[in-house]
């Protein structure tokens, strides 16, 4: 295929994508979540910052040991975030107005009801399971890292040091271990010594949270973070201090991420349809260029060899001719010399 024909075909394909297809994005309808889905409730008034949840997560997921051991609480002196080797972390927040002392908060994937990471992924590497967890499929991921940009909670991270098979890493709510029967609750929940974490159906967790509000008047803010934020999450928080004071965003609103991106995702078919064609076309062009280049090289070598052979034959012929001429001249000299000597001898005899 000639380049001009290929580019024309690509342009037509792109226009067809724009005019004839639409992205599979969420519409304006609110998604209340899968019935019976599971989640975790975190109670900031109970957390003591022991980092046992970090250790539990590390163990059940087989993650690398951190530079500082889990009983080293000096790491709480600075704010941390999750990374490709750490699915969950605990941060300490000091000097909060109205708080009797430091307040701690656990951070991990929020497992949104309509996750931004999934809505931004054009190969559907992320899946919101009916059970509540947001999972990732390495077999289809192309490493674009749009999920990292899209997530309002800055959770997905990337294995930059893996040159051949880097992965997107984040909390899975231990769903792979729970579905296979290795665990009954997430590793962090099982490791918490003060029951700051509760695992169960999301609807039950909301009732538990409201029950605590009623049982302990004045202890909590009358708000469950994650019930409606960004359309709702399966990881919920309750606290006695403003959520912004413990590192949670209060500017997200209640609209889910896919509703924000439904218009922008209209260009996804271009990527999904035209991009493979573009790659195939580029590959074909390069193959053609390589073939032409190879043919030109072969032709140039053939011409060079023929020219060298021609020049060698001419030199050989000249050398033979020169040798024959030299031989003939040498013979003539020898004959002439012999005749001269014979004539000279005859003259001397005559005398």
């Amino acid at each position: 295929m000639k380049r001009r024909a290929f580019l024309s075909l690509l342009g037509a394909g792109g226009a067809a994508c724009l005019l004839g297809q639409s992205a599979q994005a969420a519409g304006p309808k609110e998604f209340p979540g899968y019935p019976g889905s599971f989640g975790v409730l975190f109670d900031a008034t109970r957390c003591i910052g022991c980092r046992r949840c970090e250790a539990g997560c590390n163990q059940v997921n087989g993650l690398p040991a951190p530079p500082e051991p889990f009983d080293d609480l000096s790491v709480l002196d600075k704010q941390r975030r999750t990374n490709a080797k750490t699915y969950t972390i605990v941060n300490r927040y000091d000097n909060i107005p109205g708080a009797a002392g430091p307040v701690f908060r656990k951070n991990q994937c929020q497992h949104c009801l309509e996750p931004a990471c999934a809505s931004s992924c054009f190969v559907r590497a992320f899946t919101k399971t009916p059970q509540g967890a947001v999972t990732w499929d390495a077999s289809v991921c192309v490493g674009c890292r749009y999920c990292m940009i899209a997530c309002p909670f800055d959770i997905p991270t990337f294995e930059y040091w893996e040159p051949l098979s880097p992965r997107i890493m984040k909390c899975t709510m231990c769903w792979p271990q729970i579905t296979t029967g290795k665990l009954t609750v997430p590793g962090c929940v099982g490791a918490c010594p003060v029951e700051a974490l509760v695992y169960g159906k999301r609807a039950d967790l909301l009732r538990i949270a409201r029950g605590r509000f009623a049982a302990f008047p004045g202890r909590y803010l009358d708000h469950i973070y994650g019930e409606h934020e960004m359309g709702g999450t399966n990881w919920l928080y309750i606290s006695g201090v403003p959520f912004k004071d413990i590192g949670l965003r209060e500017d997200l609103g209640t609209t889910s991420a896919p509703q924000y991106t439904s218009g922008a995702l209209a260009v996804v078919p271009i990527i999904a349809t035209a991009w493979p064609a573009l790659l195939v076309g580029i590959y074909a062009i390069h193959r053609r260029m390589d073939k032409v280049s190879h043919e030109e090289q072969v032709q140039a070598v053939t011409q060079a060899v023929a020219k060298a052979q021609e020049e060698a034959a001419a030199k050989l012929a000249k050398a033979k001719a020169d040798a024959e001429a030299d031989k003939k001249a040498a013979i003539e000299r020898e004959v002439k010399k012999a005749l001269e000597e014979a004539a000279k001898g005859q003259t001397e005899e005559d005398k």
Side-chain angles (χ1 to χ4, degrees):
M1 181 183 292
K2 294 183 179 179
R3 294 186 210 180
R4 180 173 297 178
F6 162 70
L7 293 175
S8 298
L9 178 62
L10 178 62
C17 291
L18 279 174
L19 297 175
Q21 300 185 38
S22 60
Q24 298 297 317
K29 184 178 179 180
E30 182 180 351
F31 177 62
Y34 291 105
S37 66
F38 287 78
V40 177
L41 172 66
F42 173 79
D43 189 336
T45 70
R46 296 190 178 192
C47 182
I48 58 175
C50 65
R51 299 184 65 201
R52 297 280 185 86
C53 56
E54 295 184 27
C57 174
N58 178 276
Q59 180 180 1
V60 301
N61 288 290
L63 299 173
E68 303 86 0
F70 290 109
D71 58 359
D72 181 1
L73 302 185
S74 65
V75 300
L76 300 177
D77 293 338
K78 60 181 180 181
Q79 296 295 298
R80 299 177 296 151
R81 60 157 295 177
T82 59
N83 56 53
K85 298 180 180 180
T86 307
Y87 288 172
T88 187
I89 55 93
V90 174
N91 278 324
R92 186 184 71 217
Y93 300 88
D94 299 307
N95 304 318
I96 299 177
V103 181
F104 303 92
R105 180 180 69 88
K106 180 181 178 298
N107 189 36
Q108 70 297 301
C109 176
Q110 309 298 319
H111 299 279
C112 304
L113 299 185
E114 292 186 274
C117 56
S119 70
S120 66
C121 182
F122 61 87
V123 295
R124 299 184 181 180
F126 284 91
T127 300
K128 176 65 177 182
T129 66
Q131 294 78 18
V134 176
T135 60
W136 174 78
D137 184 356
S139 66
V140 297
C141 179
V142 297
C144 67
R145 288 164 282 171
Y146 290 160
C147 55
M148 297 172 60
I149 300 173
C151 178
F153 301 104
D154 297 326
I155 293 300
T157 54
F158 192 68
E159 291 181 322
Y160 289 100
W161 62 87
E162 289 289 347
L164 299 179
S165 57
R167 297 172 294 172
I168 293 291
M169 305 293 279
K170 74 170 196 67
C171 161
T172 62
M173 208 189 294
C174 290
W175 191 241
Q177 296 91 328
I178 292 175
T179 54
T180 55
K182 295 180 180 179
L183 294 174
T184 56
V185 298
C188 59
V189 177
C192 182
V194 294
E195 297 184 354
L197 297 166
V198 180
Y199 177 73
K201 293 185 177 181
R202 186 174 186 269
D204 294 336
L205 297 178
L206 292 172
R207 284 192 289 268
I208 291 173
R210 294 192 176 94
R212 292 185 183 179
F213 295 169
F216 302 97
R219 182 174 181 176
Y220 299 94
L221 297 179
D222 189 14
H223 182 76
I224 305 171
Y225 190 96
E227 182 177 12
H228 300 293
E229 277 75 10
M230 290 298 296
T233 64
N234 281 81
W235 204 282
L236 306 169
Y237 292 88
I238 54 176
S239 170
V241 298
F243 294 104
K244 63 181 179 61
D245 290 340
I246 54 174
L248 286 168
R249 294 181 60 178
E250 294 185 342
D251 61 338
L252 298 177
T254 60
T255 303
S256 66
Q259 292 186 48
Y260 285 120
T261 58
S262 59
L265 286 178
V267 300
V268 169
I270 297 177
I271 299 174
T273 305
W275 187 247
L278 176 62
L279 294 180
V280 171
I282 292 174
Y283 175 72
I285 290 173
H286 278 282
R287 285 293 301 273
R288 174 60 181 164
M289 292 173 63
D290 290 341
K291 182 178 179 181
V292 171
S293 176
H294 177 70
E295 291 174 352
E296 291 176 348
Q297 290 177 359
V298 171
Q299 184 179 1
V301 170
T302 302
Q303 291 176 350
V305 170
K307 184 177 181 181
Q309 290 177 341
E310 183 180 348
E311 291 177 352
K315 289 181 179 179
L316 180 60
K318 185 176 184 301
K320 288 182 177 180
D322 291 343
E324 289 293 331
D326 291 342
K327 182 179 179 181
K328 183 178 180 180
I331 293 173
E332 290 177 351
R333 285 194 302 269
E334 291 297 325
V335 171
K336 182 178 179 181
K337 182 179 178 181
L339 291 174
E340 289 176 349
E341 290 179 351
K344 183 178 179 181
Q346 184 64 42
T347 302
E348 291 180 351
E349 289 179 0
D350 292 341
K351 290 180 178 181

